Amino acid sequence: MNDETGALLSECLQKAIQDSHVRTILLRGAGKSFCSGRDTSVLGHRVDGESDYHFVRRHQQTRIAILDCPKPVIASVKGAAIGGGCEMALVADIRVGASDLKMALPEINYGLLPDTGGTQYLSNLIGPSRAKYMVMTGQSIDAKTALDWGAIDFVYEPQDVDEKALEMAINLAAKPPIALAMAKTMIDQGHAGAVRNGLTQELLAQTALFKTDDYAEARAALREGRKPVYKGR
């Protein structure tokens, strides 16, 4: 995911949300993976002098659009779902996973944290202790663990997952759209306020972390092909 891909995703998502002929939205990766996250070659890159605050806020808007979308959003998740890619899957209403799935939030390894809702969605789905494990270690989990913990809802073989997700989307598209929208809204009400508050906290935390020496060290180590040495500054 880079700025161009992110902008295109946001544009396509808005078109689908606003098109009255679209009843459900299916998110999937065209290749072997759902989404491997932010392109590490452009870490720290900002377009036209954009501030860190506005950079994070802009990317949060896509997740909020999915959260607020009155239509069911299904994610077909295969291969890698890493960082922002993992967060994009987590914000979907239903996640259909492949048996080769690897989910991770590795931002801690760059001196950062998830910033588009990962801490909030994950805590709601798998509980605070397991969310802390994933966020604080950056370790990935496989499809079986993700299913057992509740991070995904179904598991199929990689060659079948897109078809199964599409079948589910077609089934939902035949339901009454207003009732679907109300069902999504009612179910989300239990945690909607906490998620929005958490997104604001992620925004502020990440903006601060972008200015730390540890983040600069992580980027330098990535460029130089060495292990970073963090000093807590």
Side-chain angles (χ1 to χ4, degrees), residues 97-151:
S99 59
D100 66 347
L101 174 65
K102 297 292 183 184
M103 299 182 82
L105 295 170
E107 288 86 350
I108 194 74
N109 297 319
Y110 302 98
L112 300 173
L113 291 174
D115 57 15
T116 56
T119 62
Q120 306 306 301
Y121 312 136
L122 202 58
S123 296
N124 284 332
L125 291 170
I126 70 176
S129 295
R130 287 167 173 168
K132 287 174 184 176
Y133 167 78
M134 290 188 66
V135 171
M136 296 170 74
T137 68
Q139 294 291 317
S140 66
I141 58 173
D142 60 17
K144 182 181 184 306
T145 303
L147 181 65
D148 290 344
W149 287 5

Side-chain angles (χ1 to χ4, degrees), residues 128-208:
S129 295
R130 287 167 173 168
K132 287 174 184 176
Y133 167 78
M134 290 188 66
V135 171
M136 296 170 74
T137 68
Q139 294 291 317
S140 66
I141 58 173
D142 60 17
K144 182 181 184 306
T145 303
L147 181 65
D148 290 344
W149 287 5
I152 57 175
D153 305 301
F154 304 92
V155 175
Y156 299 100
E157 291 305 306
Q159 66 270 20
D160 299 325
V161 66
D162 285 341
E163 180 181 352
K164 293 295 185 180
L166 181 59
E167 287 177 3
M168 186 177 298
I170 291 171
N171 178 272
L172 285 173
K175 306 297 183 184
I178 298 175
L180 280 178
M182 289 186 175
K184 177 173 177 175
T185 299
M186 291 172 65
I187 293 168
D188 284 347
Q189 281 307 299
H191 60 266
V195 167
R196 289 185 175 279
N197 179 63
L199 279 164
T200 300
Q201 298 304 313
E202 284 187 353
L203 171 60
L204 298 177
Q206 196 77 308
T207 302

Side-chain angles (χ1 to χ4, degrees), residues 25 29 42 45 112 178:
I25 297 172
V42 294
H45 175 70
L112 300 173
I178 298 175

Side-chain angles (χ1 to χ4, degrees), residues 8 16 29 34 56 61 77 84 97 120 122 127 133 164 169 177 195 216 222 228:
L8 182 58
F34 179 70
V56 175
Q61 294 306 308
V77 195
Q120 306 306 301
L122 202 58
Y133 167 78
K164 293 295 185 180
V195 167
L222 186 65

Side-chain angles (χ1 to χ4, degrees), residues 1-2 36-45 106 110 215 219 222-223:
M1 183 68 70
N2 55 27
S36 58
R38 179 75 172 167
D39 183 352
T40 56
S41 69
V42 294
L43 279 180
H45 175 70
Y110 302 98
Y215 174 57
R219 291 174 58 196
L222 186 65
R223 290 194 304 269

